[in-house]
């Protein structure tokens, strides 16, 4: 090989190397773009879904154990009477037919918001395991009519409600508070839509809620 | 000869490095992780599938146990004062703890036909959101109904409905569209009246008109709603006795 050919070969190899380097880098870039798409769209969402599903399954396991035990105890007339009375007391509490008290959180909104936000707040609280919720003193129950908006006035259970909106929830205080103040929470989202609004979340040792009727 | 090879090799390496430098002028940082991100995602999705399957089994177990207890209580009702049994039955009906049958209406919500929900990059406005289901069920609860279910999941006043990514959890149960809301009611026209009021469901109707989300009604002579199969917690609730 002549020196000139040798030089040409080296330049050719260098050019081939340059192309190889370019394509390798482009390939890594597309890999990273897939990672970004996947990371932004799905990773955190699926993690949250796993969290919610696991929590639900743990609670269902407890419910299955309790029901199995209740069934096993139904052996005679006395146990049937006790079972009915226990179920009646428990279901009256759940249905809001008895006044209740317990620890929880109070959320206060000092401005009017669209009813969809009030619906979303109560949904967040139920999701977090709230055991009883009241809004401006109205207990949520199977007998409570939903939120309505007539000419800008918000109604709950056909009763007008005014600001400040006071939403009380009895349950595990730590979990309830966390879901309300964590990053991206419902309170953060409301604040971003209503910049001047004041939303206060406070822990209460004892909340008293009236029976729904 | 060796010198020639090493020099040639050096030129090759230099070329590769130049190529990398050339293209990284236009790029961000190189990824640090070794595994492909979709592998991690697939593992998490498998876990979701596992938990969802487990949940289906347990929800069915809860339903079966509740029905078994209710049957035994009814068979042995002579042990129990009739007024107590009646009170309990009425409360259970309102809590969704009994099956329900009757006439009513179905509302069907579907994504736009142009989108495929599982795709990573999809037009969000063309999808049915959990917020849509919450707003609609809230309006339905403002009317007089006997019971409601979404895709076979009984909905009660405390049913959570959440969006996680592109999936929707109803009663913490994973669901995909179409979403059929089955309502047993004596006033189906009232349901249609509130649900077709675009002022009350502004965002849904914006996406129906502009992005192809689909909403339709179907009158039904006969509907059947299953028992609510979620759990009820009262660990932090203490009853306040009524003063006599």
């Amino acid at each position: 090989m002549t020196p000139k050919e040798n030089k040409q070969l080296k330049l050719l190899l260098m050019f081939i190397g340059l192309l190889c380097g370019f394509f390798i880098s482009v390939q890594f870039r597309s890999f990273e773009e897939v990672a970004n798409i996947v990371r932004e769209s799905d990773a955190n969402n699926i993690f949250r879904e796993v969290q919610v599903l696991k929590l639900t399954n743990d609670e269902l396991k407890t419910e299955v154990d309790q029901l199995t035990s209740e069934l096993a105890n139904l052996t005679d007339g006395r146990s049937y009477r006790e079972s009915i009375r226990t179920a009646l007391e428990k279901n009256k509490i759940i249905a809001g037919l008895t006044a209740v008290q317990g620890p929880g959180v109070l959320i206060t909104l000092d401005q009017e918001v669209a009813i969809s936000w009030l619906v979303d707040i109560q949904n967040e609280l139920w999701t977090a395991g709230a055991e009883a919720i009241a809004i401006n003193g109205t207990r949520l129950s199977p007998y409570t009519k939903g939120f309505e908006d007539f000419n800008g006035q918000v109604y709950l259970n056909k009763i007008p409600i005014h600001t400040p909106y006071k939403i009380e929830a009895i349950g595990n205080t730590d979990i309830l508070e966390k879901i309300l103040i964590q990053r991206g929470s419902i309170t953060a989202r409301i604040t971003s839509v209503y910049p001047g609004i004041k939303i206060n979340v406070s822990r209460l040792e004892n909340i008293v809620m009236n029976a729904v009727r | 000869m060796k010198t020639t090879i090493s020099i040639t090799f050096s030129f090759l390496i230099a070329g590769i490095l130049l190529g990398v430098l050339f293209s990284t002028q236009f790029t961000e940082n190189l990824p640090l992780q070794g595994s492909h991100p979709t592998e991690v995602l697939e593992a998490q999705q498998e876990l979701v599938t596992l938990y969802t399957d487990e949940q289906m089994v347990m929800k069915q177990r809860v339903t079966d146990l509740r029905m078994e207890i209710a049957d035994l209580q009814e068979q042995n009702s002579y042990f129990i004062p009739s007024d107590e049994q009646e009170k309990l039955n009425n409360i259970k009906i309102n809590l969704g703890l009994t099956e329900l049958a009757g006439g009513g209406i179905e509302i069907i919500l579907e994504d736009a036909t142009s989108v495929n929900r599982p795709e990573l990059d999809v037009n969000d406005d063309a999808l049915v959101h959990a917020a849509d289901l919450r707003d609609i069920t809230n309006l339905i609860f403002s009317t007089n109904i006997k019971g409601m279910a979404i895709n076979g999941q009984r909905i009660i006043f405390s049913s959570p409905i959440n969006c996680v990514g592109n999936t929707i959890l109803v009663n913490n149960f994973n669901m995909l569209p179409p979403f059929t809301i089955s309502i047993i009611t004596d006033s189906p026209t009232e349901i249609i009246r509130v649900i077709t009021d675009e002022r009350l469901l502004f965002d849904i109707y914006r996406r129906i008109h502009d992005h192809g989300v689909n909403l339709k009604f179907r009158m039904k002579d006969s509907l059947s709603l299953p028992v609510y199969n979620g759990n009820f917690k009262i660990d932090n609730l203490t009853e306040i006795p009524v003063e006599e």
Side-chain angles (χ1 to χ4, degrees):
Chain A
M1 194 181 281
T2 65
K4 187 180 174 188
E5 284 172 346
N6 196 17
K7 190 178 172 187
Q8 282 175 346
L9 177 63
K10 286 170 187 167
L11 284 172
L12 180 63
L13 282 171
M14 187 167 158
F15 180 70
I16 291 169
L18 194 148
L19 277 179
C20 284
F22 181 79
F23 285 124
I24 288 169
S25 191
V26 166
Q27 183 60 37
F28 272 119
R29 185 175 53 183
S30 70
F31 179 98
E32 189 192 34
E33 280 171 359
V34 169
N36 283 338
I37 291 170
V38 167
R39 201 176 298 129
E40 286 163 17
S41 302
D42 284 301
N44 288 335
N45 288 326
I46 290 198
F47 178 68
R48 188 176 172 220
E49 189 174 353
V50 167
Q51 269 187 320
V52 169
L53 287 172
K54 185 174 183 316
L55 180 64
T56 304
N57 287 6
D58 289 344
E59 289 175 353
L60 281 171
K61 279 185 192 128
T62 305
E63 183 83 2
V64 166
D65 290 342
Q66 286 174 352
L67 289 169
T68 306
S69 175
E70 186 182 340
L71 188 62
N73 288 335
L74 289 175
T75 52
D76 58 22
R78 186 162 151 245
S79 64
Y80 283 115
R81 279 196 298 276
E82 276 178 26
S83 164
I84 288 278
R85 287 201 180 115
T86 304
L88 185 58
E89 291 313 310
K90 180 180 176 184
N91 286 329
K92 279 169 75 174
I93 290 172
I94 295 164
L97 294 173
T98 58
V100 292
Q101 61 187 359
V105 294
L106 167 66
I107 309 144
T108 313
L109 287 74
D110 72 338
Q111 280 182 27
E112 286 179 358
V113 296
I115 60 172
S116 57
W117 289 111
L118 297 173
V119 170
D120 287 357
I121 288 175
Q122 70 161 346
N123 182 73
E124 287 292 290
L125 292 169
W126 291 130
T127 302
E131 298 168 23
I133 299 176
I135 300 177
N136 283 27
T138 298
R139 179 96 168 263
L140 300 188
S141 78
Y143 311 98
T144 311
K145 297 294 182 197
F147 291 99
E148 295 170 281
D149 185 326
F150 292 117
N151 297 323
Q153 173 60 55
V154 175
Y155 288 75
L156 174 63
N157 201 29
K158 307 296 183 189
I159 301 167
I161 59 170
H162 306 283
T163 54
Y165 298 130
K166 290 186 179 175
I167 303 153
E168 297 164 301
I170 297 176
N172 182 313
T173 311
D174 292 334
I175 295 175
L176 293 174
E177 186 187 34
K178 185 180 173 187
I179 206 169
L180 292 168
I181 63 174
Q182 66 188 2
R183 205 174 71 155
S185 66
I186 181 73
T187 52
R189 297 201 300 274
I190 294 174
T191 306
S192 70
V193 174
Y194 300 90
I197 195 169
K198 285 197 183 65
I199 302 179
N200 187 51
V201 176
S202 47
R203 299 164 67 104
L204 297 178
E205 277 189 19
N206 197 49
I207 297 171
V208 173
M209 289 187 193
N210 294 327
V212 66
R213 60 182 192 191
Chain B
M1 178 70 174
K2 267 193 184 170
T3 308
T4 306
I5 291 170
S6 63
I7 290 172
T8 305
F9 192 65
S10 303
F11 267 97
L12 185 64
I13 296 295
I16 290 174
L17 286 174
L18 275 173
V20 169
L21 280 171
F22 178 73
S23 70
T24 53
Q25 278 187 2
F26 305 102
T27 66
E28 302 296 324
N29 295 330
L30 292 175
L32 298 175
Q33 60 206 48
S35 62
H36 198 276
T38 58
E39 287 175 6
V40 175
L41 184 60
E42 279 168 15
Q44 290 173 328
Q45 284 172 333
E46 278 175 21
L47 203 55
V48 165
T49 304
L50 184 69
Y51 280 140
T52 304
D53 291 345
E54 190 184 57
Q55 191 185 116
M56 274 178 66
V57 169
M58 282 198 289
K59 279 183 180 264
Q60 187 58 50
R61 187 81 186 114
V62 165
T63 302
D64 292 343
L65 282 166
R66 282 181 177 154
M67 287 182 69
E68 208 173 330
I69 290 169
D71 285 344
L72 277 174
Q73 286 170 345
E74 195 174 327
Q75 284 166 26
N76 294 277
S77 55
Y78 45 85
F79 286 119
I80 302 143
S82 59
D83 61 330
E84 280 187 13
Q85 182 76 51
E86 194 181 337
K87 271 185 206 167
L88 179 60
N89 287 343
N90 286 337
I91 295 173
K92 284 172 78 170
I93 288 169
N94 284 294
L95 282 176
L97 293 175
T98 58
E99 289 179 327
L100 212 53
I105 188 169
E106 284 180 337
I107 302 171
I108 299 105
L109 266 172
E110 292 172 299
D111 295 341
T113 51
S114 57
V115 297
N116 180 16
R117 185 176 277 252
E119 279 176 6
L120 292 175
D121 190 17
V122 72
N123 176 12
D124 207 44
D125 276 340
L127 302 178
V128 175
H129 299 162
D132 300 335
L133 296 177
R134 289 196 295 268
D135 290 341
I136 288 176
T137 54
N138 170 70
L139 282 180
I140 294 169
F141 276 133
S142 69
T143 67
N144 290 313
I145 67 166
K146 293 178 182 168
M148 170 172 27
I150 299 177
N151 286 14
Q153 275 290 318
R154 187 72 174 269
I155 300 299
I156 63 170
F157 71 105
S158 58
S159 286
I161 300 174
N162 291 293
C163 211
V164 185
N166 283 347
T167 61
I168 292 183
L169 299 175
V170 175
N171 291 338
N172 296 326
F173 188 77
N174 203 318
M175 251 180 222
L176 288 171
F179 299 101
T180 301
I181 306 170
S182 307
I183 306 146
I184 293 181
T185 176
D186 292 330
S187 316
T189 50
E190 193 188 359
I191 302 288
I192 294 175
R193 182 186 65 78
V194 296
I195 300 299
T196 53
D197 188 336
E198 297 194 14
R199 294 171 307 121
L200 302 177
L201 294 169
F202 173 77
D203 190 61
I204 298 173
Y205 278 98
R206 174 186 67 83
R207 286 180 287 111
I208 287 172
H209 296 316
D210 297 345
H211 297 277
V213 170
N214 202 2
L215 183 149
K216 51 190 178 208
F217 299 92
R218 207 155 48 199
M219 301 291 265
K220 300 288 277 189
D221 290 331
S222 173
L223 282 169
S224 173
L225 303 184
V227 172
Y228 173 70
N229 56 14
N231 65 320
F232 291 113
K233 278 173 59 175
I234 55 169
D235 301 342
N236 294 282
L237 292 177
T238 307
E239 187 180 350
I240 299 174
V242 176
E243 287 178 20
E244 301 200 11

